[in-house]
Amino acid sequence: NLIFGHNYSNKVLESSLWRSSDYGSTYTKLNLMPGTTIIVTNFYICPTNKKKVILVSSSINERDQMLFISTDEGSSFQRQPVSFTVDTLLFHPSEEDKLLAYSKEAKLYISTDLGHKWTQLQERVTKDRVFWAVTGVDVDPDLVHMEIQDISGGYLYVTCLIQNCSDKMVTAQFLGKIDHNSLSVQDEHIFVKVTTGNRTKYYVSYRRNEFVQMRFPKYALPKDVQIVSTDENQVFLALQEWYQTDTYNLYQSDPQGVYYSIVLENVCSTKQPEENVLIDILEVRGIKGVFLANQKVDGKVMTLITYNKGRDWEPLAPPTSDMNGKPVSCKQPDCHLHLHLRWADNPYVSGTVHTKDSAPGLIMGAGNLGSQLVEYKEEMYITSDCGKTWRQVFEEEHHILYLDHGGVIVAIKDTSIPLKILKFSIDEGQTWSIHNFTSTSVFVDGLLSEPGDETLVMTVFGHISYRSDWELVKVDFRKSFPRQCTEADYDSWKLTDLQGEKCIMGQERMYRRRKESSFCIKGKSYTSALTAKPCQCTEKDFACDYGFERAPSLRVEGDRCYPDFWHDPDAPPENCHLGHSYKSSTGYRKVITNVCEGGLNKEQSAKQHSCPLLAPKGLQLGIKGQMLAVGPGDDITFIVHQEQGDTTSTRYQVDLMDGVRTIYENLTITDEPIQHRYEKPGVYRVNVKAENSAGHDQATLYIQVTAPLQDVHLEVVPIAGRNQEVNLTAIVLPTEANLTVFYWWIGDNLQPKLTLENSLIARFSEEGEVPVTVQASNGRSMVQDSKTVIVYDQFQVIPLSFSRNLDRFNPNIPEWRQDVGQVVTKIIAKLTGVPQDSLVTMVKPGLPTTADLYVLPQESTPVKRSVFVDKRVPTIKQVLSENNVSFIVRGGLRVLVTLADSDRGDSLTRPWLRFRKLPGRNVYAQMHNEKEQEMTSPVNHSEDTQNIIQGEEFIDDDLDSQTLGNAGSRSKFSYPRPGIGNFGPGGPLSCRV
């Protein structure tokens, strides 16, 4: 016996280890590191050599990770520091010195010398998704199955040998990515799942052959699948269909685990932490084919039992009397026995139902009598004939332990109060005795028995108080039996179902049972099975085949299997090739592991058909990794899959749309990949056509070849008029980027506008500051830029031009335009005396270099007249027309800033007013070819001149003249005045400088 646990010593958590060599009578405390407090985080015993033990521990500060290794059942330990933080260890199933270690950093390590030296195998490994090779199935015992994350973030199922598991040596066993946490290796079967869009597909590999899609009824549309068992060459699973929330349907497969038929609907389930799901189904150990399940119908939960692997289910028969011998009022069919089928959270106590391989027919569980299962009612019931008859033994739930092949049943009450007694029975629960296992009551934490089904020694462990040391109490029942059993101490019993049928799973089975009058030890040599005699096959030995099911509403017509509406029994299977033959299903298949002989054969009437030449159907084209957006020069592996139709005589024509065309034979059944590399950006429509003499099918895939986006610049005017059109333009780098989607956020709206063009026309209905953000995405990358637009009701715009020598120094980038705008604003403000924060100069993209000068409204405006003339505008125009505005660029070259041609002449003395709609094109790429669309005010210039009054004068309301914004508005809104130039959209003006 080795027992370890945590306890508090001077208010510090530490681990203690005890060892016993006398079946728990005495224990010696082991001191692993004298003078150092350690925490033992886990305890591992080699399954093939129980003398070898490894403790995983850390120091109290959790910085030093150590293994303590024993090869003599814990008599001595060797300390082995490790450089990683151990999460779990996994011993090899047959070679005792080999083990895998999974670290908290998601790395996998291998040791071949019982943990003394470690080598890293892989990183980015999924926890609990690592499996050793299965003996008799995998060819090499040093093979490791694992789920890993690739550099793109997806997950793959790969294998490797422990001798070399580098990235170049791992083998992808499933072509394509799988869902996270979906790999499961169970005996002969391997399972993965793949979710695309809102559909999930489940795949299985049988005996390491190619993965094939698991076939459920066509409209099951599974939301979740839980594997119940893979015993006896068959998959038993629970599937949650699209309409279910807290229940699952049970399905059974063919031997390969591909085709599934329903065996029970609406089985209860319970969600656990970390998305684990527990299904209310229990395989009764000791007798194959027997299961218990809790079914929920119309809100009521009932317990059902099957003796033939789900072919037939029946409710449990209630006992005739209670534990005191009084008759019960529970009568069928309105009242039955129901059991809780919960697993215990504590691994050292039994669940609510207890069975054991060495005690066939003995089932003990907690539940109640009635029309349905009651959640918190947990009376204890027992059966010794595998569920045919039951007896009540306790009124409350107890933890159960079977000793000596069920010859002794130990029960301790499941309670939160301290105990000092246990109950035991030596006649399969017919009578019970009480034993005081301690003089001081203890809180019971668990029950332990010596290894081996024949043992009669057990240990109760617990604590007197929550701050006390553990109490370990050995209970030895060997003294209760004076001798070993002989053959005369046994009688026999026959296994039958609830109807009394003796032929179960195709045979009559008889088992040994110790006589009630015999007080003897069964011992190590005891075997429970006595005889097994095959039966002739009957209707009950056959279940419904794939695509068929029994209809309870049609039960009056006989116990028949009916085809589902979507299933054609005569259709050839998918793997049916020309020149071969197949049998159409009769709707029945023999229950797997059923051993009946002769008699009725429900499969015998199946018709033999020759495989026709089937036209290809369901052709699918994808790429490995599932990334449809790639970069120039990236290697691409195309995957072709055909769901139906002949493949051996089918030609596959592949057009990669860049001049490469190829023809393949037997493409979908060979390992030859279609690999390619696109050098130029663009959209390539890849087409595959499958054709034979019976017909054809084709599949198309669009591949986007594009370089990652480097940057995006948002071009927008810094000042805008209320309710006027404003052009937003996104300039993307590199300029040759294609297939870009633009997301526009305007103001506080969380819902973006999407465009394929790099521009958007917007209107702002309210005055104030409006944030504008654009994101550009091309499937491989995303970049973003933001600007703020200040919206006014009224303002003035004066177009500017520059001397042509500036164009030579214009790099056409936002930063340069911003600096030029700041210089111009500063000079004009200095020359005119107009406050700098009232002016904004925006230099436009493209050539020739032009700009707009925005004259912002003053903080106070008149309130009685609708349109006003700003005396600042004539002053600014006067300075510009006199060629007083200039600045120096590189090399001492002077650049002159003047009014644009359209703003010279008589209009000098009036407010220049206009708004415009800008083109939505890439102004970096083809700015010199653009033509600006203008809308100018239909003002008669001569008429304007006659009405001008020098200074800040007003124009009558009926005058045909307007400012940019809402004519007649009298806004008093005050804004901060940006004193810098800005940049925005636009093209070349239709004018000369």
Side-chain angles (χ1 to χ4, degrees):
N1 281 347
L2 274 175
I3 299 178
F4 85 94
H6 303 296
N7 64 291
Y8 283 88
S9 177
N10 297 324
K11 298 184 178 180
V12 175
L13 181 68
E14 64 176 346
S15 298
S16 300
L17 182 70
W18 296 271
R19 183 178 188 274
S20 172
S21 58
D22 55 6
Y23 293 97
S25 295
T26 59
Y27 283 90
T28 303
K29 185 174 181 179
L30 302 180
N31 197 346
L32 297 177
M33 289 185 64
T36 303
T37 301
I38 64 169
I39 303 296
V40 177
T41 57
N42 225 323
F43 187 108
Y44 297 92
I45 301 176
C46 177
T48 56
N49 184 353
K50 297 186 185 300
K51 292 184 178 181
K52 297 187 175 182
V53 179
I54 296 181
L55 301 180
V56 180
S57 68
S58 63
S59 60
I60 193 67
N61 56 20
E62 297 186 356
R63 287 183 299 184
D64 301 322
Q65 286 283 312
M66 290 165 285
L67 301 180
F68 290 92
I69 304 168
S70 174
T71 58
D72 52 12
E73 295 180 308
S75 294
S76 61
F77 283 90
Q78 289 181 285
R79 181 164 61 95
Q80 179 64 50
V82 289
S83 59
F84 53 92
T85 307
V86 178
D87 187 273
T88 54
L89 295 180
L90 186 64
F91 274 96
H92 193 282
S94 59
E95 300 183 38
E96 57 194 48
D97 287 339
K98 293 180 180 177
L99 66 158
L100 298 169
Y102 181 82
S103 76
K104 294 185 183 296
E105 298 79 25
K107 296 179 180 179
L108 188 66
Y109 297 84
I110 177 67
S111 173
T112 58
D113 58 0
L114 199 63
H116 291 282
K117 294 180 182 179
W118 293 93
T119 303
Q120 181 177 317
L121 287 184
Q122 267 294 327
E123 55 185 0
R124 301 188 303 274
V125 180
T126 303
K127 183 180 180 182
D128 298 328
R129 300 298 164 181
V130 178
F131 307 88
W132 277 109
V134 177
T135 304
V137 181
D138 289 297
V139 176
D140 197 317
D142 288 337
L143 187 76
V144 178
H145 306 264
M146 70 186 84
E147 178 184 299
I148 65 171
Q149 186 178 30
D150 65 11
I151 57 175
S152 69
Y155 292 87
L156 305 172
Y157 161 40
V158 300
T159 61
C160 69
L161 297 176
I162 61 174
Q163 290 81 7
N164 190 348
C165 197
S166 63
D167 289 341
K168 293 183 179 180
M169 297 304 295
V170 298
T171 302
Q173 298 294 346
F174 183 84
L175 197 57
K177 296 184 180 181
I178 65 174
D179 287 3
H180 179 46
N181 224 25
S182 71
L183 173 65
S184 179
V185 178
Q186 298 191 28
D187 303 319
E188 297 177 311
H189 299 86
I190 299 178
F191 305 93
V192 298
K193 69 175 181 177
V194 178
T195 300
T196 305
N198 63 345
R199 288 288 183 92
T200 299
K201 294 182 179 180
Y202 296 83
Y203 295 86
V204 63
S205 167
Y206 176 66
R207 295 195 65 84
R208 310 306 184 255
N209 290 312
E210 181 183 359
F211 276 92
V212 295
Q213 186 178 344
M214 297 163 69
R215 299 296 182 180
F216 306 115
K218 187 172 184 178
Y219 296 105
L221 306 180
K223 295 195 297 184
D224 185 40
V225 170
Q226 299 288 327
I227 306 299
V228 176
S229 75
T230 55
D231 295 340
E232 299 179 309
N233 208 30
Q234 184 177 44
V235 180
F236 206 176
L237 60 78
L239 182 150
Q240 188 171 57
E241 302 194 21
W242 61 272
Y243 59 87
Q244 295 176 307
T245 55
D246 59 348
T247 61
Y248 283 68
N249 292 341
L250 291 180
Y251 285 84
Q252 281 183 341
S253 75
D254 60 354
Q256 289 74 32
V258 177
Y259 292 96
Y260 290 81
S261 301
I262 193 166
V263 294
L264 184 64
E265 295 185 282
N266 297 317
V267 178
C268 296
S269 68
T270 304
K271 278 204 169 182
Q272 298 289 101
E274 300 182 359
E275 299 300 317
N276 291 328
V277 178
L278 296 181
I279 311 298
D280 273 21
I281 182 169
L282 178 82
E283 184 173 8
V284 176
R285 297 167 63 184
I287 299 180
K288 294 295 185 180
V290 182
F291 290 83
L292 293 168
N294 282 334
Q295 184 184 50
K296 187 176 184 180
V297 178
D298 298 329
K300 292 184 176 182
V301 178
M302 295 182 61
T303 301
L304 305 176
I305 189 170
T306 179
Y307 292 88
N308 50 16
K309 295 193 76 171
R311 197 255 185 215
D312 301 291
W313 295 86
E314 298 177 88
L316 296 178
T320 56
S321 60
D322 62 15
M323 59 181 293
N324 298 314
K326 297 180 180 179
V328 297
S329 58
C330 183
K331 304 297 181 184
Q332 302 185 67
D334 300 321
C335 182
H336 298 93
L337 171 63
H338 310 284
L339 300 176
H340 297 283
L341 302 179
R342 296 193 304 266
W343 296 95
D345 295 329
N346 182 353
Y348 301 110
V349 298
S350 62
T352 53
V353 173
H354 191 57
T355 66
K356 199 169 185 179
D357 288 326
S358 62
L362 195 60
I363 308 172
M364 198 166 179
N368 63 273
L369 303 179
S371 60
Q372 62 180 314
L373 182 65
V374 179
E375 182 64 26
Y376 298 105
K377 201 168 184 181
E378 297 174 333
E379 304 158 348
M380 294 298 295
Y381 295 86
I382 191 170
T383 176
S384 55
D385 55 10
C386 202
K388 184 179 181 182
T389 59
W390 293 84
R391 304 183 304 277
Q392 183 187 4
V393 289
F394 306 123
E395 292 181 337
E396 297 174 290
E397 184 181 359
H398 284 60
H399 300 309
I400 305 300
L401 190 65
Y402 291 169
L403 303 174
D404 191 29
H405 308 279
V408 176
I409 306 174
V410 180
I412 292 184
K413 186 185 295 187
D414 180 11
T415 179
S416 58
I417 63 175
L419 300 171
K420 63 171 64 176
I421 67 169
L422 59 77
K423 304 166 189 174
F424 68 95
S425 173
I426 59 173
D427 54 8
E428 297 183 335
Q430 297 283 354
T431 59
W432 292 87
S433 302
I434 293 177
H435 172 65
N436 284 289
F437 64 88
T438 179
S439 58
T440 304
S441 296
V442 298
F443 295 93
V444 175
D445 293 319
L447 309 177
L448 298 171
S449 65
E450 285 295 309
D453 294 323
E454 74 282 357
T455 183
L456 282 165
V457 180
M458 64 169 290
T459 299
V460 181
F461 70 93
H463 53 279
I464 297 175
S465 69
Y466 287 105
R467 287 290 181 178
S468 70
D469 289 337
W470 274 7
E471 294 290 321
L472 302 170
V473 182
K474 172 186 174 182
V475 182
D476 192 343
F477 289 95
R478 289 177 295 181
K479 297 178 182 179
S480 302
F481 301 94
R483 59 184 179 84
Q484 292 282 332
C485 294
T486 64
E487 196 63 35
D489 292 306
Y490 300 105
D491 56 18
S492 62
W493 64 279
K494 277 190 176 182
L495 175 67
T496 65
D497 62 16
L498 300 189
Q499 308 303 322
E501 175 60 53
K502 297 178 182 177
C503 282
I504 296 177
M505 295 294 288
Q507 59 182 337
E508 292 185 14
R509 283 173 279 181
M510 189 174 293
Y511 297 89
R512 279 192 181 87
R513 173 187 289 152
R514 191 177 62 191
K515 296 177 181 178
E516 294 182 13
S517 58
S518 296
F519 296 97
C520 57
I521 300 173
K522 296 181 181 179
K524 194 170 185 177
S525 61
Y526 171 78
T527 55
S528 56
L530 196 58
T531 61
K533 175 185 174 183
C535 303
Q536 282 197 333
C537 297
T538 66
E539 184 93 24
K540 287 185 175 292
D541 298 310
F542 295 88
C544 292
D545 202 357
Y546 172 75
F548 293 79
E549 60 180 293
R550 287 184 172 84
S553 59
L554 302 177
R555 191 64 58 88
V556 293
E557 300 180 19
D559 192 16
R560 294 173 51 198
C561 293
Y562 295 85
D564 288 310
F565 72 94
W566 49 266
H567 181 64
D568 181 5
D570 293 325
E574 296 174 6
N575 58 352
C576 192
H577 299 298
L578 189 65
H580 295 77
S581 62
Y582 71 98
K583 289 184 178 181
S584 59
S585 175
T586 63
Y588 300 88
R589 66 183 180 201
K590 193 174 181 180
V591 175
I592 294 179
T593 68
N594 187 296
V595 294
C596 69
E597 299 175 354
L600 180 66
N601 186 356
K602 299 286 287 185
E603 299 173 307
Q604 192 170 18
S605 58
K607 298 178 182 177
Q608 189 83 14
H609 304 271
S610 297
C611 290
L613 178 62
L614 298 176
K617 188 177 180 181
L619 192 66
Q620 298 174 3
L621 176 62
I623 65 174
K624 186 176 181 180
Q626 301 178 347
M627 289 292 293
L628 299 181
V630 299
D634 288 353
D635 290 324
I636 307 172
T637 300
F638 290 95
I639 302 169
V640 180
H641 176 69
Q642 182 176 302
E643 291 187 348
Q644 299 178 28
D646 189 85
T647 57
T648 57
S649 58
T650 300
R651 300 175 70 221
Y652 298 86
Q653 304 175 45
V654 181
D655 187 351
L656 300 175
M657 290 303 292
D658 63 347
V660 177
R661 296 180 176 86
T662 56
I663 297 177
Y664 293 86
E665 301 283 350
N666 302 337
L667 181 64
T668 61
I669 58 173
T670 66
D671 293 328
E672 181 182 3
I674 304 176
Q675 293 183 333
H676 194 61
R677 180 184 298 169
Y678 292 99
E679 301 296 340
K680 296 181 179 179
V683 179
Y684 296 87
R685 186 179 65 185
V686 181
N687 187 71
V688 175
K689 183 177 182 180
E691 187 174 18
N692 58 32
S693 58
H696 70 273
D697 194 11
Q698 65 180 26
T700 301
L701 186 70
Y702 289 86
I703 301 295
Q704 301 179 17
V705 181
T706 179
L709 299 179
Q710 300 171 4
D711 203 358
V712 63
H713 296 291
L714 175 59
E715 302 278 7
V716 60
V717 292
I719 311 298
R722 187 165 63 88
N723 290 325
Q724 298 299 322
E725 289 185 347
V726 175
N727 185 283
L728 311 177
T729 301
I731 309 302
V732 176
L733 295 178
T735 56
E736 65 272 12
N738 58 343
L739 300 169
T740 305
V741 178
F742 297 89
Y743 301 81
W744 308 86
W745 281 272
I746 300 174
D748 296 328
N749 192 351
L750 296 178
Q751 187 68 31
K753 295 182 178 180
L754 272 65
T755 66
L756 295 178
E757 296 290 334
N758 70 325
S759 64
L760 178 71
I761 301 298
R763 292 176 183 267
F764 308 112
S765 60
E766 300 292 335
E767 292 184 281
E769 294 186 358
V770 180
V772 179
T773 297
V774 63
Q775 286 184 344
S777 172
N778 69 349
R780 301 190 69 228
S781 58
M782 179 176 286
V783 290
Q784 172 181 307
D785 192 19
S786 299
K787 293 289 185 296
T788 298
V789 179
I790 303 179
V791 181
Y792 292 101
D793 192 57
Q794 294 180 340
F795 62 92
Q796 312 268 347
V797 181
I798 302 175
L800 305 178
S801 62
F802 300 87
S803 52
R804 279 295 180 92
N805 51 14
L806 180 61
D807 290 350
R808 289 187 301 154
F809 302 98
N810 185 348
N812 208 11
I813 62 174
E815 293 86 351
W816 183 88
R817 295 196 293 270
Q818 181 175 318
D819 287 342
V820 171
Q822 287 179 336
V823 169
V824 173
T825 297
K826 185 176 181 179
I827 295 172
I828 292 176
K830 183 176 181 181
L831 293 174
T832 61
V834 176
Q836 187 171 332
D837 59 2
S838 296
L839 303 175
V840 176
T841 302
M842 187 201 76
V843 180
K844 302 176 185 179
L847 297 175
T849 308
T850 60
D852 279 338
L853 174 64
Y854 292 84
V855 184
L856 306 182
Q858 295 174 316
E859 293 190 5
S860 61
T861 58
V863 297
K864 294 184 178 180
R865 307 273 177 85
S866 59
V867 181
F868 67 92
V869 176
D870 192 341
K871 66 179 182 180
R872 298 173 298 174
V873 174
T875 303
I876 295 171
K877 288 188 175 183
Q878 184 69 33
V879 170
L880 290 165
S881 63
E882 293 176 354
N883 297 331
N884 290 329
V885 181
S886 65
F887 58 94
I888 304 297
V889 294
R890 190 174 61 190
L893 188 65
R894 181 171 295 276
V895 176
L896 184 65
V897 184
T898 61
L899 291 169
D901 282 351
S902 60
D903 216 51
R904 294 181 181 272
D906 293 339
S907 62
L908 174 66
T909 59
R910 62 171 293 275
W912 188 92
L913 313 166
R914 74 171 184 172
F915 63 93
R916 55 195 170 82
K917 181 177 181 181
L918 295 174
R921 299 173 56 193
N922 188 324
V923 295
Y924 271 8
Q926 296 182 348
M927 182 60 68
H928 62 281
N929 290 327
E930 291 186 331
K931 294 183 178 180
E932 184 183 41
Q933 295 177 332
E934 293 187 355
M935 294 183 64
T936 58
S937 172
V939 177
N940 184 298
H941 285 224
S942 61
E943 185 178 56
D944 280 349
T945 306
Q946 295 172 6
N947 288 278
I948 292 295
I949 302 176
Q950 294 297 322
E952 192 174 64
E953 295 291 330
F954 295 90
I955 300 173
D956 291 339
D957 292 344
D958 58 350
L959 188 63
D960 188 15
S961 175
Q962 59 183 345
T963 59
L964 182 63
N966 286 347
S969 173
R970 298 181 177 88
S971 171
K972 293 185 178 180
F973 199 93
S974 178
Y975 303 94
R977 313 293 195 211
I980 60 172
N982 211 323
F983 54 90
L989 296 173
S990 304
C991 61
R992 295 190 305 275
V993 179

